[in-house]
Amino acid sequence: MTSSVNTSTLFRLALVALLLFPAFSAVPPQSSATTVCQYTQFPSFCRSTIPINNSTANVYDYGRFSVRKSISSAHKFATLIDKLLHRSSTLTTGAIRALQDCQYLAGVNIDFLTNAFQTVGKSQTALSTMKSDDIQTMLSAILTNTQTCIDGIQATASSWTSKNGVLAPLANDNKLYSVSLSLFNRGWGVKNPKKRSTTPHKKHIGFKNGRLPLKMSERTRAIFETVGRRKLLQSDDGGDEVVVSDIVVVSQDGSGNFTTITDAINIAPNKSVAADGYFLIYVTAGVYEEYVNIPKNKYYLMMIGDGINQTVITGNRNVVDGWTTFNSATFIVTAPNFVAVNVTIRNTAGAIKHQAVALRNGADLSTFYSCSFEGYQDTLYTHSLRQFYRECDIYGTVDFIFGNAAAVFQNCNLYPRLPMSGQFNAITAQGRTDPGQNTGIVVQNCNIRAADDLGSTKTYLGRPWKEYSRTIYMKTFMDSLIEGAGWREWSGDFALNTSYYAEFDNTGPGSNTSGRVTWLGFHVINATDAVSFTTSSFVMGDEFLPQTGVPYNGGL
């Protein structure tokens, strides 16, 4: 008879396998709804929602049906939000702002679902690793967007009588999107992903020979040469160089093309392709008091400043003053393939204003290199999709890196600072809500040290914001400010067994795992497990980072 200890161990191992990577084992070519739906988070809902009465139906048919139904539901919800906003005179400012967030997010969901259906609507075979990850990323983001809408509505004034009329359909939509994600993973997911390279990659910012813009004004050429001399854009060891289509200069003294960053963004081309190269905005030294928003149609935009604490973008929006967390950010980017280098982004609202975001990033395949993010609570909102941060400084207090992207922080400095009286610090609050999402926060080869003002504040590696929260620290230096338990509860026993928190080969006085929490969700992992969270594997870094010129290590 198996001992209870062994049974517990087997259960734990099975749970870890599910939380790490949802299974992609084959479903019979012809399957009933009952058979297919057992692989989802909501089997009963799945069976009642996908009533395909066809003996020849397979997992691809069910998957396509669920995505089509998801598109219909997303359109209905967008219409509902539009109607509510037309009656906004009866709503509080907070409710209006939350609904405006929902309106935007619903539109993004429609785009993502439409794109996903273009793939699943004509394929009945497993996809390439990159294509499969693309679709899984979009379907994961749809769930994140819906949850963001729910969180915003729940945080608005309790006097809003229409709240339940929005939350109820959202709850059903979330189940449907979860089913779509599960069925996609089951049918089109890569079942045996090829082992990706773990070789370090050394890339440098630079222009590619022969691909300079053919029509370059003398002033633009002078700027290129000046920037090149600063080695912001110049390869120094034969590494890959960056293709740039055009350069504009932002300078507050009027000597450039524009005096504000927003004006430069507005003239950038829409929906560029990789072959066109980056549209480069060079922002000279100065403090720019403006709220920057790089919209989703400004593909392949690169922004380079004069350095951390030289080119500074600053604002002070916050929740206490009536903004939603989602729209409190000083800098917002949703355009894919965005790159930022040598800039500081601040939210100066202070600890007393609670949630106040410096950067909100919902840009797929985005990269931040040698940047600084400064705030207190909720400094860096890694909202959704795939993101990479290299050699960045991040300052904050409560949950200061949070969100539900697949985000890798490599060779960065994390600086917990002094919060409000009575508060503790949590470096991360990851927001994964579904085990099928390919999301999480990875902190690799970074340094965690106290900011100058921290004092004796209790500081933890993270806490579970959502049920399947996932955060991994690898080869990172942890100074003595980290509490021995390492991790902190969110509320009671919420998500302690379903989260995935892992540590691998960390160093420093705060890295000792002997006194760590004993939750089922906490693990000390080995190299075999850790390689799954490398830049090459977790965010498909080899597919998009070489063209940015940013240095990165694809492996451990």
Side-chain angles (χ1 to χ4, degrees):
M1 185 173 183
T2 305
S3 70
S4 60
V5 174
N6 290 336
T7 301
S8 174
T9 301
L10 290 171
F11 171 76
R12 184 187 181 109
L13 289 172
L15 180 63
V16 169
L18 173 64
L19 296 179
L20 262 172
F21 302 106
F24 290 136
S25 59
V27 174
Q30 296 177 7
S31 306
S32 67
T34 300
T35 301
V36 169
C37 288
Q38 69 178 311
Y39 299 107
T40 71
Q41 288 289 97
F42 306 101
S44 297
F45 177 85
C46 175
R47 288 192 296 271
S48 65
T49 307
I50 310 179
I52 298 179
N53 297 313
N54 186 332
S55 60
T56 63
N58 58 30
V59 66
Y60 302 108
D61 297 317
Y62 290 106
R64 275 189 287 272
F65 186 91
S66 69
V67 174
R68 278 200 305 268
K69 192 170 181 66
S70 293
I71 293 172
S72 175
S73 293
H75 278 287
K76 288 178 182 177
F77 183 73
T79 300
L80 170 63
I81 296 300
D82 288 344
K83 288 180 179 177
L84 287 171
L85 284 171
H86 283 141
R87 301 197 297 269
S88 61
S89 60
T90 63
L91 300 174
T92 64
T93 299
I96 292 170
R97 285 177 172 167
L99 286 172
Q100 287 171 338
D101 291 348
C102 292
Q103 184 181 48
Y104 166 76
L105 293 164
V108 174
N109 280 356
I110 290 169
D111 289 345
F112 285 168
L113 285 164
T114 302
N115 289 339
F117 190 73
Q118 289 175 352
T119 295
V120 303
K122 54 191 177 186
S123 172
Q124 290 217 126
T125 59
L127 303 171
S128 68
T129 300
M130 189 62 188
K131 176 56 72 173
S132 177
D133 201 72
D134 286 346
I135 304 301
Q136 188 187 13
T137 296
M138 285 190 283
L139 295 178
S140 295
I142 288 162
L143 281 165
T144 302
N145 292 341
T146 308
Q147 188 62 52
T148 301
C149 176
I150 291 171
D151 290 346
I153 290 171
Q154 289 178 334
T156 57
S158 58
S159 59
W160 180 22
T161 56
S162 301
K163 186 186 294 186
N164 289 334
V166 179
L167 291 178
L170 268 180
N172 279 334
D173 287 352
N174 240 0
K175 290 181 180 179
L176 179 58
Y177 301 152
S178 176
V179 167
S180 294
L181 176 59
S182 295
L183 295 181
F184 173 81
N185 288 344
R186 181 65 51 175
W188 290 272
V190 176
K191 297 170 177 62
N192 295 298
K194 183 179 177 182
K195 218 36 163 174
R196 302 189 67 79
S197 169
T198 57
T199 303
H201 297 262
K202 296 180 179 178
K203 305 295 178 184
H204 297 269
I205 293 291
F207 287 100
K208 190 171 184 178
N209 293 335
R211 290 303 304 274
L212 290 174
L214 295 177
K215 295 182 179 179
M216 183 184 285
S217 69
E218 288 304 312
R219 169 147 190 85
T220 300
R221 185 172 296 281
I223 291 296
F224 160 67
E225 292 171 353
T226 300
V227 174
R229 280 197 296 274
R230 292 175 182 167
K231 294 191 176 180
L232 296 178
L233 295 170
Q234 185 175 5
S235 175
D236 58 6
D237 69 350
D240 286 357
E241 296 174 314
V242 176
V243 179
V244 171
S245 61
D246 202 358
I247 307 171
V248 295
V249 181
V250 178
S251 184
Q252 291 177 320
D253 64 7
S255 61
N257 304 98
F258 303 98
T259 57
T260 70
I261 298 168
T262 298
D263 286 343
I265 293 167
N266 288 340
I267 64 98
N270 296 331
K271 297 187 176 181
S272 298
V273 296
D276 294 336
Y278 289 97
F279 182 85
L280 172 60
I281 299 175
Y282 170 46
V283 186
T284 62
V287 177
Y288 294 81
E289 296 182 2
E290 60 177 299
Y291 293 95
V292 175
N293 190 341
I294 301 175
K296 61 185 180 181
N297 61 340
K298 300 294 183 179
Y299 302 177
Y300 290 98
L301 191 149
M302 179 180 285
M303 184 178 296
I304 296 182
D306 272 329
I308 290 174
N309 293 329
Q310 297 300 309
T311 297
V312 179
I313 305 165
T314 184
N316 64 1
R317 288 176 179 167
N318 60 84
V319 167
V320 171
D321 288 345
W323 297 92
T324 61
T325 301
F326 187 72
N327 258 327
S328 68
T330 300
F331 194 111
I332 296 169
V333 57
T334 54
N337 296 96
F338 173 76
V339 181
V341 183
N342 286 0
V343 298
T344 290
I345 300 171
R346 287 179 184 153
N347 190 312
T348 61
I352 197 171
K353 295 291 188 175
H354 296 278
Q355 296 94 333
V357 176
L359 169 70
R360 189 190 91 215
N361 186 359
D364 199 22
L365 308 177
S366 54
T367 307
F368 287 81
Y369 176 44
S370 188
C371 293
S372 182
F373 310 101
E374 301 175 11
Y376 289 84
Q377 182 171 349
D378 292 2
T379 300
L380 177 50
Y381 195 172
T382 59
H383 182 261
S384 54
L385 305 168
R386 294 164 291 192
Q387 310 176 9
F388 181 72
Y389 301 81
R390 171 83 179 200
E391 296 171 35
C392 292
D393 298 337
I394 307 153
Y395 297 81
T397 58
V398 180
D399 308 332
F400 67 90
I401 301 173
F402 76 111
N404 195 25
V408 174
F409 294 84
Q410 194 173 88
N411 295 42
C412 293
N413 298 305
L414 313 183
Y415 295 110
R417 64 197 306 185
L418 182 67
M420 292 174 62
S421 176
Q423 288 184 327
F424 60 86
N425 286 338
I427 295 173
T428 64
Q430 207 281 326
R432 188 164 168 252
T433 60
D434 191 291
Q437 290 177 307
N438 60 352
T439 56
I441 292 171
V442 176
V443 179
Q444 181 188 16
N445 198 37
C446 294
N447 294 294
I448 304 174
R449 291 189 169 90
D452 292 341
D453 64 349
L454 178 66
S456 59
T457 301
K458 289 183 180 293
T459 298
Y460 300 87
L461 297 173
R463 58 181 185 148
W465 181 29
K466 301 297 181 184
E467 189 171 2
Y468 295 94
S469 180
R470 180 161 63 175
T471 302
I472 299 90
Y473 285 84
M474 310 192 300
K475 292 182 173 291
T476 286
F477 174 83
M478 302 177 179
D479 214 341
S480 56
L481 74 161
I482 299 299
E483 289 291 307
W487 306 83
R488 177 84 178 227
E489 300 87 349
W490 182 271
S491 178
D493 63 358
F494 169 74
L496 303 188
N497 295 336
T498 51
S499 294
Y500 183 85
Y501 288 146
E503 298 182 47
F504 168 70
D505 202 19
N506 299 306
T507 59
S511 67
N512 188 336
T513 59
S514 62
R516 291 296 197 246
V517 294
T518 57
W519 312 337
L520 272 179
F522 172 72
H523 314 275
V524 177
I525 59 176
N526 58 26
T528 302
D529 292 330
V531 75
S532 301
F533 300 106
T534 57
T535 299
S536 293
S537 295
F538 196 60
V539 293
M540 297 290 167
D542 297 338
E543 305 293 338
F544 73 98
L545 287 171
Q547 68 186 331
T548 69
V550 170
Y552 75 102
N553 183 345
L556 290 174

